[in-house]
């Protein structure tokens, strides 16, 4: 799976949009971009994934650049409960079944 | 909503004891996984199962075994617990090898 690079930490004001970037310049054509998050002392939580089109669900939006070398996870109205470590993963699935989390981005939502 | 439950949130065991960690999912997922998560080492796959009675080793299977007698239940067994198995244990399930849904985790301390 392609390596991903994320900033170690970001801050966001409560109620504002949080935009979390991820670089995956070596991503291959069959690799999806997945986002998970982990709130302190809890299990990771799946957020969203996409291949090349932008995606939106009830939790977040995922914007993938046309060249697929980077993406942005958008939490449109961040709340204090969104404070967590966010992981961006390039993952093809198939026989490569295991998830590998990098260091991720610690998002702190401030009141 | 997908629900993955784990038998205990916190567990304290003595060295040499046999330890059972149970995981149950209610979404009829074919795939189930056991990971451990340690500071600085990230998420590491211990075992996974893609069907009842089927199992495959992950990256760190030594000292562990698993059992999947029913589709919804995947057990992790520490045959003889050791202090280096003190960790956060995370179970996950997946309808296919893509988005994985995690349980809350079991923090195991071996003394």
């Amino acid at each position: 799976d392609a390596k991903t690079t994320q900033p170690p930490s970001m801050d966001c004001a409560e109620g504002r949009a949080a935009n979390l970037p991820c670089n995956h310049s070596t991503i291959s054509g069959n690799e999806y971009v997945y986002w998970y998050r982990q709130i302190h002392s809890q299990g990771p939580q799946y957020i969203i994934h996409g291949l090349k089109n932008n995606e939106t669900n009830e939790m977040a939006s995922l914007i993938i650049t046309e060249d697929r070398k980077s993406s942005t996870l958008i939490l449109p109205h961040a709340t204090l409960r969104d404070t967590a470590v966010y992981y961006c993963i390039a993952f093809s699935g198939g026989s490569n079944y295991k998830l590998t989390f990098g260091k991720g981005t610690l998002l702190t939502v401030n009141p | 909503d997908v629900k993955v439950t784990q038998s205990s949130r916190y567990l304290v065991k003595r060295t040499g004891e046999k330890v059972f960690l149970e995981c149950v999912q209610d979404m009829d997922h074919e795939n189930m996984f056991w990971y451990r998560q340690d500071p600085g080492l990230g998420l590491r796959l211990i075992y996974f199962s893609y069907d009842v009675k089927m199992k495959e080793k992950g990256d760190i299977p030594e000292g562990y075994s698993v059992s999947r007698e029913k589709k919804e239940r995947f057990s992790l067994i520490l045959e003889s617990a050791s202090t280096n198995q003190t960790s956060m244990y995370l179970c996950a399930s997946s309808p296919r090898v893509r988005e994985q849904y995690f349980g809350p985790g079991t923090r195991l301390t071996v003394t």
Side-chain angles (χ1 to χ4, degrees):
Chain A
D1 295 329
K3 179 177 160 61
T4 61
T5 305
Q6 300 176 253
S9 63
M10 292 182 66
D11 285 323
C12 177
E14 190 177 17
R16 305 297 290 266
N19 297 286
L20 292 96
C22 179
N23 286 322
H24 31 78
S25 57
T26 61
I27 195 169
S28 61
N30 65 341
E31 286 182 314
Y32 286 71
V33 179
Y34 279 78
W35 283 84
Y36 286 78
R37 73 180 182 183
Q38 190 168 21
I39 296 168
H40 182 62
S41 295
Q42 296 185 22
Q45 180 186 21
Y46 164 76
I47 302 173
I48 199 167
H49 74 278
L51 185 62
K52 51 185 176 182
N53 296 323
N54 298 336
E55 302 287 344
T56 296
N57 64 19
E58 65 278 4
M59 287 184 69
S61 294
L62 175 61
I63 308 297
I64 303 173
T65 58
E66 195 168 340
D67 63 7
R68 299 206 333 120
K69 292 187 177 182
S70 66
S71 60
T72 301
L73 179 76
I74 301 170
L75 308 178
H77 305 287
T79 71
L80 299 178
R81 288 179 296 177
D82 292 322
T83 292
V85 179
Y86 287 77
Y87 298 100
C88 167
I89 303 159
F91 185 60
S92 59
S95 60
N96 185 7
Y97 41 79
K98 68 181 177 187
L99 286 177
T100 302
F101 286 2
K103 294 193 188 311
T105 297
L106 172 60
L107 174 69
T108 302
V109 180
N110 300 305
Chain B
D1 277 353
V2 176
K3 190 147 184 175
V4 180
T5 56
Q6 294 183 229
S7 48
S8 306
R9 287 285 276 131
Y10 299 94
L11 207 53
V12 180
K13 295 291 182 180
R14 293 186 183 274
T15 302
E17 279 193 86
K18 192 168 185 175
V19 181
F20 292 87
L21 303 181
E22 288 217 310
C23 175
V24 178
Q25 50 97 359
D26 66 357
M27 285 302 293
D28 203 34
H29 288 170
E30 289 80 14
N31 304 311
M32 295 188 75
F33 308 80
W34 275 107
Y35 294 88
R36 62 179 282 180
Q37 187 174 35
D38 301 286
L41 296 176
L43 210 61
R44 293 182 289 168
L45 182 67
I46 305 171
Y47 268 97
F48 86 105
S49 168
Y50 52 89
D51 203 350
V52 175
K53 297 193 188 294
M54 306 302 289
K55 61 186 179 186
E56 294 235 0
K57 293 179 181 179
D59 295 324
I60 50 163
E62 297 78 20
Y64 303 95
S65 62
V66 290
S67 171
R68 192 160 180 210
E69 296 296 317
K70 293 185 177 181
K71 192 174 186 180
E72 67 271 16
R73 191 178 298 268
F74 192 33
S75 301
L76 180 70
I77 303 146
L78 286 67
E79 298 290 344
S80 177
S82 63
T83 54
N84 62 13
Q85 291 178 312
T86 290
S87 185
M88 169 73 96
Y89 288 88
L90 292 159
C91 174
S93 74
S94 170
R96 51 194 177 276
V97 191
R98 289 186 177 164
E99 61 269 25
Q100 295 183 19
Y101 297 90
F102 286 81
T106 295
R107 189 166 293 282
L108 172 68
T109 303
V110 183
T111 61

